[in-house]
């Protein structure tokens, strides 16, 4: 079918053999990074705030030292203008004590680390950048060659058709000239060879270092978010699952950062310890990529539960109004909405999305704040305990 006299590609360049690479950390093998990095990252950006809980109208204060960023913000009462809920709401709405949250978060992460250790693959195949870039260059060269052969064939076919229709061919057939010029450019590069040219290598490097990893991360996010949405919604749709498993997470109505991992073990193991790593494996992330993606995923989860709606939140790139979006789901009146954990597509597509800026949602927020203030004021009057001032915030106007 193709012109047999067309030049053929030179024999492919033989890339170096694949091998192994040194661990990123000298004291830790790379296969342990995917489950350890997110755990460490969680406690770095998580928080343990001044404890002010109300049990039978008896309030007490205790300060923990776990976490860095949000602990400092809360302990100093900084950025209170961005806090979503008042201290009164924190005192009256949450059913789980912060000590319980810390305990179960540690249990969950211990279970995840144990499963991660058991599932860690120490035989991960490593392809050097030179090997991978050469492979991509070969693929590009192959695609270019086949494209040029088709162009050469079309140019010849178009020329013959022109001669059959017009016995006297036009001296300058524009279409034939275009095909032939393009074929000449592809088949006969300026250097006269079909070895790797600079355009092959530049594009191959761009694919290897930027385009393909970006595609992998986007695919992992889409796949994991799909798994999270339908699993999360199932825990709400099934009464038994919600009552005996998922309701534990919703004991926190006023979210705080380290409460993001306050889950029942029967929810943590199938979703976080097995389902999430499976999504990353399907798209082909290596150990270092999985660790990086897990850190980003953890950052998104913690920030969504932090209780602060900071401006320029990078999570808003994936889900607009990210913190407010998930905070609405934690309210008693919003549990049937906003099941998506990281994006908003599935909520929009399945009709479960509720914007936190909706007038009805804002009215419910205001009512909840007013009720919490009234209950707390009554408790202070009965116990004559001074009003707490550390970390106090005013209501946030959406």
């Amino acid at each position: 079918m193709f012109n047999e006299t067309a030049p053929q590609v030179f024999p492919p360049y033989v890339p170096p053999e694949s091998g192994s690479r040194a661990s990123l950390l000298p004291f830790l093998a790379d296969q342990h990074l995917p489950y350890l990095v997110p755990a460490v990252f969680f406690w770095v950006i998580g928080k343990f705030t001044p404890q002010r809980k109300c049990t039978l109208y008896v309030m007490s204060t205790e300060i923990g030292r776990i976490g860095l960023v949000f602990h400092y913000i809360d302990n100093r009462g900084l950025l209170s203008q961005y806090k979503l809920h008042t201290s009164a709401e924190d005192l009256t709405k949450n059913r789980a004590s912060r000590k319980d949250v810390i305990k179960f978060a540690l249990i969950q992460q211990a279970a995840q680390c144990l499963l991660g250790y058991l599932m860690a693959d120490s035989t991960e195949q490593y392809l050097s950048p030179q090997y991978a870039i050469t492979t991509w260059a070969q693929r590009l060269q192959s695609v270019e060659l086949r494209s040029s052969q088709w162009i050469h064939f079309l140019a010849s076919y178009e020329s013959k058709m022109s001669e059959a229709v017009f016995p006297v061919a036009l001296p300058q057939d524009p279409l034939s000239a275009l095909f032939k010029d393009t074929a000449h450019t592809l088949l006969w590069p300026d250097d006269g060879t079909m070895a790797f040219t600079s355009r092959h290598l530049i594009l191959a490097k761009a694919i290897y270092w930027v385009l393909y990893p970006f595609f992998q991360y986007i695919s992992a996010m889409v796949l994991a978010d799909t798994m999270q949405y339908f699993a999360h919604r199932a825990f709400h749709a099934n009464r038994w699952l919600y009552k005996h498993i998922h309701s534990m997470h919703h004991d926190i109505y006023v979210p705080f950062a380290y409460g993001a991992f306050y889950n029942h073990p029967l929810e943590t193991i199938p979703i976080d310890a097995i389902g999430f790593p499976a999504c990353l494996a399907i798209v082909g992330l290596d150990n270092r990529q999985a660790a990086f993606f897990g850190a980003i995923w953890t950052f998104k989860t913690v920030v969504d539960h932090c209780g602060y709606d900071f401006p320029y939140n990078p999570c808003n790139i994936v889900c607009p109004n990210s913190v407010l979006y998930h905070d609405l789901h934690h309210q008693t009146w919003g549990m049937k909405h906003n099941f998506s954990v990281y994006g908003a597509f599935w909520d929009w597509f399945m009709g479960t999305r509720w914007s936190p800026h909706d007038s009805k949602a804002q009215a419910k927020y205001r009512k909840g704040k007013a009720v919490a203030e009234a209950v707390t004021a009554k408790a202070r009057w009965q116990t004559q305990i001074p009003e707490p001032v550390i970390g106090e915030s005013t209501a946030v106007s959406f």
Side-chain angles (χ1 to χ4, degrees):
M1 184 173 79
F2 300 111
N3 190 335
E4 296 181 356
T5 62
Q8 299 297 315
V9 66
F10 283 176
Y13 172 76
V14 179
E17 294 295 331
S18 61
S20 60
R21 59 179 172 181
S23 298
L24 185 64
L25 301 175
F27 55 86
L28 184 68
D30 280 355
Q31 66 261 27
H32 302 301
L33 295 177
Y35 62 87
L36 288 179
V37 169
V40 173
F41 197 71
F42 170 75
W43 290 111
V44 170
I45 64 173
K47 69 174 181 178
F48 191 85
T49 60
Q51 168 77 9
R52 294 190 296 276
K53 60 184 178 180
C54 182
T55 305
L56 298 178
Y57 300 117
V58 177
M59 292 178 285
S60 63
T61 302
E62 63 182 68
I63 299 178
R65 293 297 175 187
I66 300 177
L68 299 176
V69 179
F70 286 105
H71 167 72
Y72 182 81
I73 292 173
D74 273 345
N75 195 32
R76 297 294 181 180
L78 302 176
L79 305 174
S80 60
Q81 68 271 28
Y82 300 118
K83 199 169 184 179
L84 298 181
H85 298 278
T86 63
S87 296
E89 291 181 283
D90 191 7
L91 296 174
T92 59
K93 290 185 176 182
N94 285 344
R95 298 177 183 176
S97 70
R98 305 205 174 213
K99 286 185 177 180
D100 286 338
V101 173
I102 291 290
K103 178 179 68 176
F104 277 95
L106 289 172
I107 291 174
Q108 169 181 303
Q109 291 188 335
Q112 285 184 264
C113 289
L114 177 60
L115 287 174
Y117 178 80
L118 295 176
M119 296 188 299
D121 183 11
S122 60
T123 61
E124 180 184 51
Q125 184 182 24
Y126 168 69
L127 303 178
S128 67
Q130 182 183 2
Y131 183 104
I133 291 171
T134 300
T135 301
W136 280 111
Q138 286 179 329
R139 292 170 181 169
L140 292 172
Q141 187 185 61
S142 178
V143 171
E144 188 177 83
L145 174 63
R146 281 159 178 74
S147 299
S148 67
Q149 289 174 328
W150 274 104
I151 292 174
H152 191 80
F153 167 76
L154 291 174
S156 301
Y157 179 79
E158 193 276 336
S159 178
K160 292 179 180 179
M161 289 296 296
S162 298
E163 293 176 359
V165 176
F166 302 101
V168 180
L170 297 176
Q172 292 293 332
D173 185 344
L175 188 58
S176 296
L178 174 63
F179 278 135
K180 291 178 180 178
D181 289 346
T182 305
H184 184 277
T185 301
L186 292 174
L187 287 168
W188 291 274
D190 295 337
D191 58 5
T193 71
M194 279 298 292
F196 296 146
T197 62
S198 59
R199 68 173 180 274
H200 290 132
L201 295 177
I202 291 175
L203 187 54
K205 290 178 181 179
I207 292 174
Y208 175 75
W209 292 111
V210 180
L211 299 180
Y212 187 66
F214 179 77
F215 172 78
Q216 284 181 299
Y217 286 128
I218 293 298
S219 300
M221 186 184 70
V222 170
L223 191 60
D225 196 41
T226 300
M227 181 270 295
Q228 289 274 359
Y229 174 86
F230 288 101
H232 188 190
R233 187 170 182 179
F235 275 109
H236 280 269
N238 186 286
R239 292 184 178 180
W240 190 93
L241 289 176
Y242 181 81
K243 179 180 179 180
H244 297 283
I245 299 178
H246 190 60
S247 61
M248 178 178 174
H249 182 69
H250 281 276
D251 284 343
I252 303 174
Y253 290 94
V254 179
F256 43 87
Y258 59 89
F261 281 63
Y262 182 61
N263 298 311
H264 193 284
L266 292 181
E267 180 178 355
T268 296
I269 293 175
I271 296 179
D272 298 324
I274 298 177
F276 180 73
C279 292
L280 305 190
I282 289 173
V283 300
L285 296 185
D286 62 28
N287 287 323
R288 295 183 184 182
Q289 288 178 307
F292 177 71
F293 188 84
I296 296 176
W297 206 257
T298 301
F299 176 81
K300 175 70 166 62
T301 305
V302 171
V303 170
D304 281 357
H305 290 82
C306 73
Y308 288 84
D309 185 27
F310 296 119
Y312 309 110
N313 180 358
C315 298
N316 291 339
I317 299 174
V318 178
C319 177
N321 306 307
S322 185
V323 177
L324 295 173
Y325 190 87
H326 192 68
D327 183 85
L328 184 147
H329 175 75
H330 269 267
Q331 308 311 306
T332 55
W333 42 266
M335 290 185 181
K336 298 297 183 182
H337 302 274
N338 298 2
F339 295 107
S340 293
V341 181
Y342 304 102
F345 170 78
W346 284 114
D347 275 314
W348 168 80
F349 186 78
M350 301 298 292
T352 54
R353 183 179 182 274
W354 190 0
S355 172
H357 295 289
D358 180 75
S359 59
K360 292 183 179 179
Q362 293 185 44
K364 290 182 178 293
Y365 269 118
R366 289 192 295 268
K367 182 179 178 180
K369 295 178 189 296
V371 171
E373 292 293 343
V375 172
T376 307
K378 182 179 180 180
R380 293 197 192 99
W381 179 79
Q382 291 180 348
T383 58
Q384 296 182 353
I385 294 180
E387 181 178 356
V389 295
I390 298 178
E392 184 70 31
S393 68
T394 57
V396 175
S397 60
F398 298 125

